[in-house]
Amino acid sequence: MAEQTSSRPGGSWLLVLFGVILVIIGLPLVYGGAQLIFLGGSWYYALAGLGIILSGVLYALRHKTGFWLYALIFLATIVWALWETGLAFWPLVPRLVAPTVLAILALLLLPVFPYSTGKRGPFSIAGLLVLALIATGIYAFQPHEVTRNAFAKVEKPTVPAAAASAGDWRYYGRTPAGTRYAPFDQINTDNVSGLEVAWTFRSGDTPAGSAQDQNTPLFVGDTLYTCSPNNIVNALNPDTGEVKWKFDPQAKAPLWQRCRGVSYYEPVATPVEAAPAAPADGAAAQPTAPAAPSTAACTARIVMTTIDARLIELDAKTGEPCADFGTGGTVDLKQGMGEIKPGFYFQTSAPTVMRDLILIGGWVWDNVETGEPSGAVRAFSAKTGELVWAWDLGNPAITKLPPEGESYTRGTPNVWSTPAYDDALGLVYLPTGNATPDFWGGHRSKEAEEYSSSVVALDIATGRERWKFQTVHHDIWDYDVPSQPALYDVPDGKGGTAPALIQVTKRGQIFMLDRRDGKPIAEVEEKPVPQGAAEGDWTSATQPYSTGMPSIGTEPFTEARMWGATPFDQLYCRIEFKKMRYDGEFTPPRTDYSLIYPGYYGGMNWGSASVDEANGLLIVNDIRMPQFITLLPREQADNYGPSAAHDGLGTQLGTPYGALKNGFMSPLGVPCHQPPYGTISAIDLKSRQLVWQVPAGTLQDTGPLGMKTGLQIPIGMPSLGGPMTTSGGLVFYAGTQDYYLRAIDVTTGEELWKGRLPVGAQATPMTYTSPETGRQFVIISAGGARQSPDRGDYIVAYALPKKN
């Protein structure tokens, strides 16, 4: 017979207190739930809130019916959560954890009711719920939203001897093809767990304000070359990190200080130099004696640009400016550009050195006004600094400097990211940005419409256009092409290969084009998209979708995908989502609030992709952080405040509207949609199928309200820097919100190692093999993760332990 108990004289206050707590919890659920119903959203919150309030009142009156009512609500909540999200882990957490905590308290208080049964039953059930919460906490430390499909490892191709023996990283993407693949396997899947810090260098140029350290160093011969946010170049000993020389250009800019890389140039041998002509009588040419090593200055050069729009060449051995280049080693990149207000034009990406030319694009201050400096692309002689050719898409008749008193066409799409080039085809491939400003385009020229958010192929020798492919028509979402194209020969299905250009985008679309003519290798379809732009603007009827390749992070938003750390901020996010207009990735900005997703950070951004050339795998990391936007009428925008490049107000002077935009976050600073917020993925370039996808990064160094949780929960965080692959079967990446460089198995996505960094990173790692010691090093610039207050000036080198 069950033991009958009555409440102890002092126990009833616990019931009253719990009842008051339930009422306090229920009130905002009813209030917010009513708003959500009015907006056409879920009825759950309002109904659950009413039930919780009634349960709380019954608890306060010490009626056991209050317990049974809450038990019914709890069971209904479980059913609702499973119906809305299925068994996906992260979506269930805010829906069930808090109600479970309340259910445990309700069970523990059940014996306090008058004439209640014994404690054993309710305490046992409460214990099971506690165990479920503990299991949930443990399970949170496992990766979720993981995809792993079967992938048959291919027989690795034989790497040509010259490439295999060369330990260099001579270009931003290691080679002109921009694949970020290194044929080095000293560090591999079997031993990567033994990686340790070999040395650390500090530049002394810690980023502050709008500055960011996004540098990928170069390694050529016996020297590592780095640059810092203010364009300070250091040449380092590759085995120790000791400084060989330092050059400070004393560059100044009011915002956006960053240097993603420098470039390297050695004069290209002319045909006469390479092979002397045969004698006129037909006799065989006599071999010439090898030339003695040159001791002249600047036989090898470091090529750099600055945040105040200068192009500089330095002697790679000494760091001294090359006197025969430009004026004392410097070319003024403002020539021909017309008026340039402070901070409105300079270079953030590494210059592209091809043959004896240096290709220069430029960054412009987004969204401030129309008629900003031109997006003209120019090629300068790498020997003298003389302008060789210019490509002004607004006026193709200008092939060098514009006529006296004129400038290159203003306000045209710029090339702020890094091109790639195919020397055999004689083509350089430009990823273009958008015509300024980004979010209203009623004023744009015909040429701007044709070239915005495109890949354009130019003839290396002449700068004349050979083909173009547009990834977004009439881009009013800032979906410009942010990353370096990757050039790789893919299987053509006929036993041979086709020369491909692989372009990742902010939209999460991956376009695969024939780099000879720009025609799609993987199918591209024009699909209808939402209409209805702001007054005076228009939208394209269709947009290109790369249906022949997987898209990354493009699942459309729904109310059910809204998220939060608690039921309250999840409810807030649901309400805000239902308030906004959202018709998919091409929702046109108007004077009401609308949602941009994937968003102007991506998708994929400037960190670019990597191609594991040994296995034919494309490796990409993506960002999943939407933004809201509203267009403010001119008078309202003019009174709002100063312009911001990205989040905040873009004044868009010269148009009828400013653009107010920001991240879609809960009041706790948690993204309003369910995780992951960033992933890293592998795509088989033969089958064009997703092989694996894993969340990128943990909560260890971030969290609600900006507080560091210290918890290595792999929720998947936004990542800006790109991946790098090696023939050791590894992917290295570090651009997450937590402070780690990671190595993962390129064919499975399994994390094999991670090294703790002093601060976060937002750069792409690189690797080289030292000719002095034969050791392979992996290098990462760590200056601080985006959105993190922690900043530093570190270059960290990792290697396997030295052999005795």
Side-chain angles (χ1 to χ4, degrees):
M1 179 174 177
E3 176 189 2
Q4 296 290 325
T5 64
S6 61
S7 63
R8 294 189 298 274
S12 61
W13 70 271
L14 292 172
L15 298 175
V16 174
L17 176 61
F18 187 60
V20 171
I21 291 172
L22 289 178
V23 171
I24 292 172
I25 290 171
L27 287 172
L29 293 178
V30 170
Y31 177 75
Q35 292 184 66
L36 190 58
I37 291 172
F38 179 76
L39 293 168
S42 172
W43 284 60
Y44 164 78
Y45 293 91
L47 295 176
L50 286 172
I52 290 171
I53 290 173
L54 180 56
S55 174
V57 170
L58 292 171
Y59 261 94
L61 295 175
R62 296 184 296 167
H63 284 293
K64 193 183 295 185
T65 312
F67 167 81
W68 294 113
L69 178 57
Y70 183 78
L72 180 62
I73 295 167
F74 179 61
L75 292 174
T77 297
I78 294 174
V79 171
W80 165 76
L82 293 173
W83 169 78
E84 195 172 52
T85 70
L87 295 174
F89 178 76
W90 286 117
L92 289 175
V93 167
R95 290 169 170 86
L96 294 182
V97 168
T100 300
V101 171
L102 292 177
I104 292 169
L105 294 175
L107 286 162
L108 294 177
L109 287 174
L110 185 57
V112 179
F113 281 107
Y115 310 110
S116 64
T117 58
K119 299 178 181 179
R120 181 178 301 172
F123 279 25
S124 297
I125 299 173
L128 291 174
L129 292 180
V130 169
L131 290 175
L133 287 181
I134 293 172
T136 299
I138 295 172
Y139 198 40
F141 286 85
Q142 303 300 313
H144 300 281
E145 300 294 323
V146 172
T147 298
R148 284 196 174 95
N149 297 319
F151 174 71
K153 289 190 177 183
V154 300
E155 183 178 348
K156 294 183 179 181
T158 301
V159 180
S165 62
D168 288 0
W169 188 290
R170 288 192 172 216
Y171 297 83
Y172 179 65
R174 187 177 178 272
T175 69
T179 59
R180 289 163 186 77
Y181 171 77
F184 317 146
D185 62 3
Q186 182 184 115
I187 302 169
N188 53 58
T189 54
D190 294 330
N191 60 23
V192 68
S193 60
L195 276 186
E196 61 184 23
V197 175
W199 53 261
T200 300
F201 167 75
R202 301 196 68 173
S203 70
D205 188 11
T206 301
S210 62
Q212 306 286 346
D213 185 346
Q214 300 172 339
N215 173 236
T216 297
L218 296 187
F219 176 73
V220 184
D222 63 356
T223 305
L224 185 73
Y225 300 96
T226 76
C227 66
S228 63
N230 289 291
N231 302 120
I232 300 171
V233 179
N234 283 278
L236 307 179
N237 181 305
D239 292 293
T240 66
E242 294 175 329
V243 178
K244 292 186 174 184
W245 56 257
K246 175 181 177 180
F247 176 78
D248 185 352
Q250 300 294 316
K252 304 294 181 185
L255 81 163
W256 217 246
Q257 303 89 348
R258 60 209 62 208
C259 176
R260 296 194 181 114
V262 297
S263 297
Y264 179 81
Y265 169 67
E266 287 181 3
V268 178
T270 65
V272 173
E273 294 169 335
D281 61 6
Q286 296 299 310
T288 58
S294 174
T295 58
C298 292
T299 55
R301 309 180 182 204
I302 293 302
V303 184
M304 61 177 293
T305 53
T306 66
I307 53 176
D308 49 11
R310 288 177 284 156
L311 172 62
I312 300 174
E313 280 194 348
L314 307 173
D315 188 313
K317 293 296 182 183
T318 67
E320 294 296 321
C322 296
D324 59 351
F325 182 81
T327 302
T330 299
V331 171
D332 183 4
L333 294 176
K334 296 187 291 293
Q335 58 181 328
M337 300 299 289
E339 180 191 15
I340 298 179
K341 298 176 182 178
F344 271 67
Y345 172 80
F346 52 86
Q347 289 67 41
T348 55
S349 298
T352 300
V353 175
M354 49 187 191
R355 299 178 181 172
D356 281 325
L357 299 175
I358 303 169
L359 189 73
I360 296 295
W363 178 88
V364 296
W365 191 349
D366 292 353
N367 302 314
V368 179
E369 60 189 26
T370 59
E372 292 191 21
S374 176
V377 174
R378 293 168 288 171
F380 296 86
S381 167
K383 295 180 178 179
T384 67
E386 178 186 0
L387 180 64
V388 176
W389 56 255
W391 179 64
D392 179 356
L393 64 88
N395 187 356
I398 298 176
T399 59
K400 286 195 175 182
L401 281 172
E404 186 70 28
E406 299 182 24
S407 70
Y408 297 113
T409 308
R410 299 184 70 85
T412 52
N414 58 332
V415 178
W416 61 265
S417 189
T418 308
Y421 72 90
D422 185 327
D423 192 62
L425 291 176
L427 298 177
V428 60
Y429 305 98
L430 312 179
T432 69
N434 210 348
T436 58
D438 287 320
F439 301 103
W440 196 84
H443 66 293
R444 293 178 188 166
S445 66
K446 175 178 179 293
E447 292 79 12
E449 295 293 356
E450 290 182 3
Y451 289 93
S452 285
S453 306
S454 298
V455 180
V456 182
L458 302 183
D459 186 291
I460 292 175
T462 66
R464 296 310 93 201
E465 179 188 329
R466 291 293 176 262
W467 58 259
K468 64 179 180 291
F469 176 88
Q470 192 164 56
T471 69
V472 181
H473 308 318
H474 191 63
D475 183 0
I476 50 176
W477 302 271
D478 194 11
Y479 283 149
D480 52 359
V481 182
S483 56
Q484 183 179 29
L487 312 183
Y488 179 71
D489 294 347
V490 300
D492 62 4
K494 304 173 185 177
T497 60
L501 178 149
I502 302 159
Q503 183 65 64
V504 299
T505 67
K506 289 182 179 179
R507 293 174 53 204
Q509 299 290 316
I510 302 171
F511 294 93
M512 182 188 290
L513 312 175
D514 189 317
R515 61 180 184 265
R516 294 168 296 191
D517 55 20
K519 295 180 180 178
I521 293 175
E523 186 176 1
V524 175
E525 295 181 25
E526 291 284 340
K527 295 184 178 182
V529 293
Q531 300 296 291
E535 183 179 355
D537 205 347
W538 58 279
T539 50
S540 173
T542 64
Q543 293 288 356
Y545 284 81
S546 182
T547 55
M549 289 285 284
S551 60
I552 305 296
T554 58
E555 182 183 352
F557 272 3
T558 62
E559 182 199 330
R561 291 189 64 201
M562 296 302 101
W563 202 74
T566 70
F568 299 110
D569 54 330
Q570 185 183 49
L571 174 57
Y572 168 89
C573 290
R574 283 177 178 254
I575 293 170
E576 293 304 305
F577 175 75
K578 296 298 289 187
K579 285 180 180 178
M580 287 188 285
R581 190 167 37 85
Y582 174 70
D583 300 316
E585 64 176 305
F586 289 110
T587 304
R590 295 202 295 253
T591 53
D592 55 357
Y593 278 90
S594 61
L595 193 66
I596 304 177
Y597 183 75
Y600 47 75
Y601 290 127
M604 284 72 90
N605 211 298
W606 56 263
S608 307
S610 180
V611 176
D612 171 23
E613 297 180 15
N615 293 297
L617 291 174
L618 176 70
I619 309 298
V620 299
N621 61 292
D622 73 302
I623 301 169
R624 304 182 185 187
M625 296 293 290
Q627 294 86 34
F628 65 80
I629 184 170
T630 182
L631 298 182
L632 300 181
R634 181 79 274 141
E635 182 178 355
Q636 186 178 352
D638 290 345
N639 294 323
Y640 191 90
S643 190
H646 287 136
D647 295 342
L649 175 72
T651 52
Q652 301 197 140
L653 299 174
T655 77
Y657 304 99
L660 181 63
K661 58 228 179 294
N662 220 318
F664 184 29
M665 310 285 279
S666 83
L668 296 179
V670 175
C672 265
H673 64 292
Q674 67 192 41
Y677 308 125
T679 68
I680 186 164
S681 307
I683 296 162
D684 183 352
L685 292 175
K686 181 178 181 180
S687 67
R688 302 173 196 169
Q689 299 297 313
L690 183 68
V691 176
W692 53 259
Q693 183 175 94
V694 295
T698 73
L699 287 174
Q700 181 172 351
D701 298 297
T702 188
L705 301 175
M707 297 183 296
K708 296 181 182 180
T709 66
L711 302 174
Q712 295 188 31
I713 298 175
I715 199 168
M717 303 301 290
S719 56
L720 267 182
M724 175 265 289
T725 56
T726 75
S727 61
L730 297 170
V731 178
F732 289 93
Y733 74 104
T736 57
Q737 298 294 300
D738 57 356
Y739 303 169
Y740 288 99
L741 171 67
R742 289 178 166 85
I744 62 180
D745 188 308
V746 74
T747 58
T748 67
E750 178 187 359
E751 183 179 294
L752 302 178
W753 169 87
K754 63 182 178 181
R756 183 70 171 167
L757 298 170
V759 297
Q762 51 180 294
T764 302
M766 55 83 71
T767 185
Y768 60 87
T769 301
S770 166
E772 181 70 24
T773 63
R775 297 176 79 193
Q776 182 184 349
F777 293 85
V778 177
I779 306 294
I780 185 68
S781 296
R786 181 69 68 89
Q787 310 298 338
S788 170
D790 297 335
R791 289 287 181 261
D793 60 344
Y794 302 89
I795 302 288
V796 185
Y798 292 88
L800 296 173
K802 291 182 179 179
K803 295 180 180 179
N804 295 329

